[in-house]
Amino acid sequence: MSNKLNSALLEKCVSDVLAFANGETVTRGSEEVKGKKRNFTETIEIQITLKNYDPQRDKRFSGTFRLPTIPRPNIKCCMLGNAAHCEQADRIGIDHMSVDDLKKLNKNKKLVKKLAKKYDFFLASDNMIKQIPRLLGPGLTKAGKFPTLLAGGEDMQEKVDEVKSTIKFQMKKVMCLNVAVGNVAMEKQEIIVNTQLASNFLASLLKKQWQNIGQIYIKSTMGPSQQIYF
């Protein structure tokens, strides 16, 4: 699918996002805005508004795509694992819980909710994944964090990186979508490539592709939004 984003505009907007996050002054319209360097790594996301799309009548869509560069390297993972997987998680510095740890939560909704809130995603060994609903109830599913399966022969670090670099577009009842495409510590070109790929992937999910996309903006966590598609 051809890329409909204007390369020069995208490059300028990404440069401005990075400059603003670095405390430099950028021009918005006719005014100059002074940036501010934060004491955390800001995430960069794109915000997309759809058009000619009826969430009530048109088919809902959902899709996942792996970006070449991890947009949010600091998101937290917990391994719900068998003994071997827990040992492996320990070696690479990933939090882990065994069947016994999960049993201690005693299906307590508050504790399960707290667990879901503490981590951004979960991995689970194949013998564990079937037991999750019985051990924890529907809490993780409700939070949209049901574990990703880690099969016996898979490399745990590679799987963690895969989940961290995978973005998901899912149509709910609203016409706006947003997804992380990078962070301010990344190279400009990496952010540009991630943005182009994410936008193209979303267009491929839509009935009329780019004709269903109204506007796309790009922004860092604390920075102003810049329009990259009209």
Side-chain angles (χ1 to χ4, degrees), residues 48-64:
I48 302 120
T49 310
L50 302 180
K51 66 176 183 182
N52 306 329
Y53 194 90
D54 183 348
Q56 306 310 115
R57 285 176 45 220
D58 287 329
K59 189 167 163 271
R60 299 271 175 98
F61 60 81
S62 173
T64 56

Side-chain angles (χ1 to χ4, degrees), residues 5-48:
L5 297 178
N6 178 310
S7 303
L9 176 64
L10 177 58
E11 185 167 353
K12 184 191 180 307
C13 289
V14 172
S15 296
D16 282 354
V17 166
L18 293 173
F20 189 90
N22 205 28
E24 295 165 32
T25 300
V26 298
T27 307
R28 287 201 74 207
S30 57
E31 56 176 326
E32 292 200 330
V33 193
K34 176 87 172 82
K36 185 177 178 183
K37 197 168 171 58
R38 310 282 167 172
N39 57 2
F40 67 95
T41 304
E42 294 180 61
T43 296
I44 295 173
E45 65 172 22
I46 52 172
Q47 301 170 331
I48 302 120

Side-chain angles (χ1 to χ4, degrees), residues 24-220:
E24 295 165 32
T25 300
V26 298
T27 307
R28 287 201 74 207
S30 57
E31 56 176 326
E32 292 200 330
V33 193
K34 176 87 172 82
K36 185 177 178 183
K37 197 168 171 58
R38 310 282 167 172
N39 57 2
F40 67 95
T41 304
E42 294 180 61
T43 296
I44 295 173
E45 65 172 22
I46 52 172
Q47 301 170 331
I48 302 120
T49 310
L50 302 180
K51 66 176 183 182
N52 306 329
Y53 194 90
D54 183 348
Q56 306 310 115
R57 285 176 45 220
D58 287 329
K59 189 167 163 271
R60 299 271 175 98
F61 60 81
S62 173
T64 56
F65 181 81
R66 184 173 181 175
L67 295 171
T69 312
I70 295 173
R72 293 188 301 159
N74 299 331
I75 58 176
K76 285 186 77 178
C77 166
C78 180
M79 178 74 219
L80 310 178
N82 53 31
H85 275 152
C86 282
E87 198 179 301
Q88 206 181 333
D90 217 28
R91 282 202 303 273
I92 60 173
I94 289 171
D95 290 359
H96 52 84
M97 294 178 84
S98 63
V99 170
D100 290 341
D101 294 328
L102 296 182
K103 279 179 181 168
K104 283 175 197 161
L105 299 178
N106 208 13
K107 266 194 185 175
N108 180 315
K109 282 182 186 173
K110 277 186 180 169
L111 293 177
V112 174
K113 201 173 177 179
K114 198 174 168 186
L115 175 69
K117 213 172 173 178
K118 187 177 175 185
Y119 297 100
D120 296 288
F121 69 97
F122 295 87
L123 294 177
S125 312
D126 44 11
N127 65 324
M128 288 276 281
I129 210 154
K130 302 178 187 76
Q131 300 182 60
I132 303 285
R134 189 168 56 80
L135 291 168
L136 298 179
L140 293 186
T141 309
K142 276 183 183 169
K145 292 181 184 176
F146 192 79
T148 299
L149 173 68
L150 180 70
E154 283 187 292
D155 181 288
M156 190 179 293
Q157 187 63 62
E158 164 59 28
K159 193 73 174 179
V160 168
D161 290 345
E162 181 189 319
V163 177
K164 282 184 177 183
S165 55
T166 299
I167 55 168
K168 182 175 185 175
F169 285 112
Q170 189 167 13
M171 186 61 199
K172 302 269 172 70
K173 288 178 184 171
V174 290
M175 296 285 279
C176 299
L177 299 157
N178 58 312
V179 68
V181 290
N183 63 75
V184 297
M186 276 166 61
E187 294 294 326
K188 181 169 74 174
Q189 194 52 38
E190 292 174 333
I191 300 164
I192 289 171
V193 170
N194 273 5
T195 303
Q196 287 171 330
L197 291 172
S199 306
N200 279 344
F201 177 66
L202 172 62
S204 75
L205 295 175
L206 298 166
K207 199 159 118 187
K208 295 181 180 170
Q209 301 190 342
W210 281 92
Q211 291 171 350
N212 282 132
I213 295 177
Q215 297 97 25
I216 304 178
Y217 292 87
I218 189 165
K219 76 182 290 295
S220 64

